[in-house]
Short mmCIF file of all heavy atoms in Angstrom, two decimals:
data_model
loop_
_atom_site.label_atom_id
_atom_site.label_comp_id
_atom_site.label_asym_id
_atom_site.label_seq_id
_atom_site.Cartn_x
_atom_site.Cartn_y
_atom_site.Cartn_z
N SER P 1260 26.53 36.33 -73.98
CA SER P 1260 25.90 36.21 -75.24
C SER P 1260 24.81 37.10 -75.45
O SER P 1260 23.94 37.30 -74.59
CB SER P 1260 25.44 34.70 -75.44
OG SER P 1260 24.80 34.45 -76.85
N ILE P 1261 24.65 37.67 -76.69
CA ILE P 1261 23.70 38.75 -76.96
C ILE P 1261 23.19 38.44 -78.29
O ILE P 1261 23.74 37.80 -79.17
CB ILE P 1261 24.14 40.15 -76.81
CG1 ILE P 1261 25.34 40.37 -77.78
CG2 ILE P 1261 24.62 40.48 -75.39
CD1 ILE P 1261 25.71 41.90 -77.93
N VAL P 1262 22.08 39.06 -78.71
CA VAL P 1262 21.59 39.08 -80.08
C VAL P 1262 21.80 40.55 -80.65
O VAL P 1262 21.34 41.53 -80.20
CB VAL P 1262 20.07 38.64 -80.15
CG1 VAL P 1262 19.57 38.73 -81.66
CG2 VAL P 1262 19.95 37.25 -79.60
N ASN P 1263 22.49 40.61 -81.80
CA ASN P 1263 22.62 41.86 -82.50
C ASN P 1263 21.57 42.11 -83.45
O ASN P 1263 21.27 41.48 -84.40
CB ASN P 1263 24.00 41.76 -83.33
CG ASN P 1263 24.57 42.98 -83.90
OD1 ASN P 1263 23.74 43.98 -83.88
ND2 ASN P 1263 25.78 43.03 -84.29
N TRP P 1264 20.96 43.34 -83.13
CA TRP P 1264 19.78 43.70 -83.94
C TRP P 1264 20.22 45.07 -84.65
O TRP P 1264 19.23 45.73 -85.10
CB TRP P 1264 18.62 43.96 -83.09
CG TRP P 1264 17.77 42.70 -82.87
CD1 TRP P 1264 17.85 41.98 -81.67
CD2 TRP P 1264 16.83 42.17 -83.69
NE1 TRP P 1264 16.98 40.97 -81.79
CE2 TRP P 1264 16.35 40.92 -83.05
CE3 TRP P 1264 16.46 42.35 -84.93
CZ2 TRP P 1264 15.46 40.10 -83.60
CZ3 TRP P 1264 15.57 41.56 -85.50
CH2 TRP P 1264 14.99 40.32 -84.93
N CYS P 1265 21.30 45.50 -84.85
CA CYS P 1265 21.71 46.70 -85.46
C CYS P 1265 22.84 46.62 -86.44
O CYS P 1265 23.47 47.68 -86.89
CB CYS P 1265 21.97 47.82 -84.33
SG CYS P 1265 23.36 47.49 -83.28
N SER P 1266 23.17 45.38 -86.92
CA SER P 1266 24.32 45.21 -87.78
C SER P 1266 23.90 45.75 -89.32
O SER P 1266 22.77 45.47 -89.66
CB SER P 1266 24.64 43.81 -87.79
OG SER P 1266 25.60 43.53 -88.85
N ASN P 1267 24.97 46.30 -89.92
CA ASN P 1267 24.82 46.65 -91.31
C ASN P 1267 25.10 45.43 -92.24
O ASN P 1267 25.14 45.60 -93.47
CB ASN P 1267 25.54 47.85 -91.69
CG ASN P 1267 24.84 49.08 -91.16
OD1 ASN P 1267 23.62 49.08 -91.02
ND2 ASN P 1267 25.72 50.22 -90.98
N ASP P 1268 25.53 44.33 -91.65
CA ASP P 1268 25.74 43.05 -92.39
C ASP P 1268 24.48 42.56 -92.81
O ASP P 1268 24.02 41.49 -92.30
CB ASP P 1268 26.66 42.07 -91.72
CG ASP P 1268 27.12 40.96 -92.45
OD1 ASP P 1268 26.77 40.88 -93.64
OD2 ASP P 1268 27.88 39.99 -91.95
N TYR P 1269 23.63 43.31 -93.65
CA TYR P 1269 22.21 42.97 -93.83
C TYR P 1269 21.96 41.64 -94.32
O TYR P 1269 20.86 41.03 -93.88
CB TYR P 1269 21.75 43.95 -94.90
CG TYR P 1269 21.68 45.47 -94.51
CD1 TYR P 1269 22.20 46.39 -95.31
CD2 TYR P 1269 21.20 45.89 -93.27
CE1 TYR P 1269 22.23 47.73 -94.95
CE2 TYR P 1269 21.19 47.18 -92.82
CZ TYR P 1269 21.67 48.08 -93.74
OH TYR P 1269 21.66 49.46 -93.41
N LEU P 1270 22.74 41.02 -95.10
CA LEU P 1270 22.42 39.68 -95.63
C LEU P 1270 23.36 38.63 -95.09
O LEU P 1270 23.31 37.45 -95.47
CB LEU P 1270 22.58 39.65 -97.22
CG LEU P 1270 21.71 40.64 -97.94
CD1 LEU P 1270 22.00 40.60 -99.43
CD2 LEU P 1270 20.24 40.35 -97.64
N CYS P 1271 24.10 38.91 -93.94
CA CYS P 1271 24.94 37.98 -93.26
C CYS P 1271 25.97 37.42 -94.21
O CYS P 1271 26.43 36.34 -93.91
CB CYS P 1271 24.14 36.84 -92.74
SG CYS P 1271 22.65 37.50 -91.68
N MET P 1272 26.37 38.21 -95.16
CA MET P 1272 27.43 37.73 -96.13
C MET P 1272 28.81 37.70 -95.41
O MET P 1272 29.68 36.94 -95.96
CB MET P 1272 27.41 38.50 -97.46
CG MET P 1272 26.29 38.41 -98.31
SD MET P 1272 26.02 36.56 -98.87
CE MET P 1272 27.44 36.40 -99.90
N GLY P 1273 29.05 38.33 -94.42
CA GLY P 1273 30.28 38.20 -93.62
C GLY P 1273 30.37 36.75 -93.01
O GLY P 1273 31.52 36.43 -92.56
N GLN P 1274 29.33 36.05 -92.95
CA GLN P 1274 29.32 34.59 -92.53
C GLN P 1274 29.28 33.61 -93.54
O GLN P 1274 29.37 32.44 -93.36
CB GLN P 1274 28.08 34.51 -91.68
CG GLN P 1274 27.98 35.42 -90.44
CD GLN P 1274 28.90 35.22 -89.39
OE1 GLN P 1274 28.97 34.03 -88.83
NE2 GLN P 1274 29.73 36.23 -88.99
N ASN P 1275 29.17 34.09 -94.79
CA ASN P 1275 28.98 33.24 -95.96
C ASN P 1275 30.39 32.29 -96.24
O ASN P 1275 31.33 32.87 -96.27
CB ASN P 1275 28.67 33.94 -97.17
CG ASN P 1275 28.35 33.12 -98.44
OD1 ASN P 1275 29.22 32.79 -99.09
ND2 ASN P 1275 27.14 32.85 -98.76
N HIS P 1276 29.95 31.08 -96.41
CA HIS P 1276 31.15 30.07 -96.52
C HIS P 1276 32.07 30.48 -97.79
O HIS P 1276 33.31 30.35 -97.78
CB HIS P 1276 30.61 28.62 -96.75
CG HIS P 1276 31.65 27.64 -97.17
ND1 HIS P 1276 32.69 27.24 -96.28
CD2 HIS P 1276 31.81 27.09 -98.35
CE1 HIS P 1276 33.42 26.30 -96.92
NE2 HIS P 1276 32.95 26.12 -98.15
N HIS P 1277 31.43 30.79 -98.85
CA HIS P 1277 32.10 31.11 -100.05
C HIS P 1277 32.97 32.44 -99.98
O HIS P 1277 34.09 32.37 -100.40
CB HIS P 1277 31.13 31.41 -101.32
CG HIS P 1277 30.26 30.17 -101.59
ND1 HIS P 1277 30.71 29.17 -102.29
CD2 HIS P 1277 29.02 29.82 -101.22
CE1 HIS P 1277 29.82 28.29 -102.40
NE2 HIS P 1277 28.73 28.69 -101.74
N VAL P 1278 32.48 33.30 -99.14
CA VAL P 1278 33.21 34.54 -98.92
C VAL P 1278 34.48 34.26 -98.16
O VAL P 1278 35.68 34.72 -98.32
CB VAL P 1278 32.37 35.56 -98.31
CG1 VAL P 1278 33.12 36.83 -97.83
CG2 VAL P 1278 31.21 36.05 -99.29
N ILE P 1279 34.24 33.50 -96.95
CA ILE P 1279 35.29 33.24 -96.11
C ILE P 1279 36.45 32.25 -96.74
O ILE P 1279 37.62 32.54 -96.60
CB ILE P 1279 34.85 32.50 -94.84
CG1 ILE P 1279 33.84 33.43 -94.02
CG2 ILE P 1279 35.93 32.04 -93.92
CD1 ILE P 1279 32.99 32.84 -92.88
N THR P 1280 35.91 31.40 -97.52
CA THR P 1280 36.93 30.53 -98.20
C THR P 1280 37.78 31.24 -99.18
O THR P 1280 38.94 31.14 -99.32
CB THR P 1280 36.14 29.43 -98.93
OG1 THR P 1280 35.45 28.62 -97.96
CG2 THR P 1280 37.12 28.51 -99.70
N ALA P 1281 37.11 32.24 -99.91
CA ALA P 1281 37.80 33.03 -100.95
C ALA P 1281 38.93 33.93 -100.11
O ALA P 1281 40.03 34.12 -100.70
CB ALA P 1281 36.85 33.92 -101.68
N MET P 1282 38.56 34.44 -98.99
CA MET P 1282 39.53 35.16 -98.22
C MET P 1282 40.72 34.30 -97.68
O MET P 1282 41.84 34.70 -97.83
CB MET P 1282 38.86 35.89 -97.06
CG MET P 1282 37.82 36.99 -97.55
SD MET P 1282 36.96 37.85 -96.14
CE MET P 1282 38.28 38.96 -95.67
N GLN P 1283 40.28 33.22 -97.23
CA GLN P 1283 41.31 32.37 -96.72
C GLN P 1283 42.44 31.81 -97.87
O GLN P 1283 43.66 31.83 -97.64
CB GLN P 1283 40.75 31.05 -96.11
CG GLN P 1283 40.00 31.38 -94.82
CD GLN P 1283 39.31 30.24 -94.29
OE1 GLN P 1283 38.79 29.28 -95.05
NE2 GLN P 1283 38.96 30.12 -93.00
N THR P 1284 41.87 31.68 -99.07
CA THR P 1284 42.68 31.24 -100.24
C THR P 1284 43.62 32.37 -100.59
O THR P 1284 44.78 32.13 -100.80
CB THR P 1284 41.75 30.82 -101.34
OG1 THR P 1284 40.93 29.75 -100.95
CG2 THR P 1284 42.62 30.37 -102.54
N ALA P 1285 43.04 33.52 -100.67
CA ALA P 1285 43.83 34.69 -100.95
C ALA P 1285 44.89 35.04 -100.00
O ALA P 1285 45.97 35.45 -100.39
CB ALA P 1285 42.90 35.95 -101.13
N LEU P 1286 44.61 34.81 -98.66
CA LEU P 1286 45.55 35.03 -97.59
C LEU P 1286 46.71 34.08 -97.79
O LEU P 1286 47.94 34.57 -97.65
CB LEU P 1286 44.82 34.88 -96.22
CG LEU P 1286 45.80 35.00 -95.10
CD1 LEU P 1286 46.27 36.48 -95.08
CD2 LEU P 1286 44.98 34.78 -93.75
N ASP P 1287 46.48 32.90 -98.07
CA ASP P 1287 47.51 31.93 -98.24
C ASP P 1287 48.31 32.21 -99.52
O ASP P 1287 49.53 31.97 -99.56
CB ASP P 1287 46.95 30.52 -98.45
CG ASP P 1287 46.30 30.00 -97.13
OD1 ASP P 1287 46.76 30.52 -96.00
OD2 ASP P 1287 45.52 29.08 -97.13
#
């Protein structure tokens, strides 16, 4: 386990529930 200090996911939107749900819905 490490801590990432160089990600360009600046606002952590890759982890956002609304984003993930939208992608899962579109995939289905």
Side-chain angles (χ1 to χ4, degrees):
S1260 179
I1261 60 169
V1262 178
N1263 187 344
W1264 278 101
C1265 57
S1266 174
N1267 282 337
D1268 188 359
Y1269 293 131
L1270 299 179
C1271 311
M1272 290 302 293
Q1274 305 286 305
N1275 182 276
H1276 169 72
H1277 299 278
V1278 174
I1279 294 171
T1280 299
M1282 295 181 74
Q1283 290 171 334
T1284 301
L1286 180 62
D1287 289 339

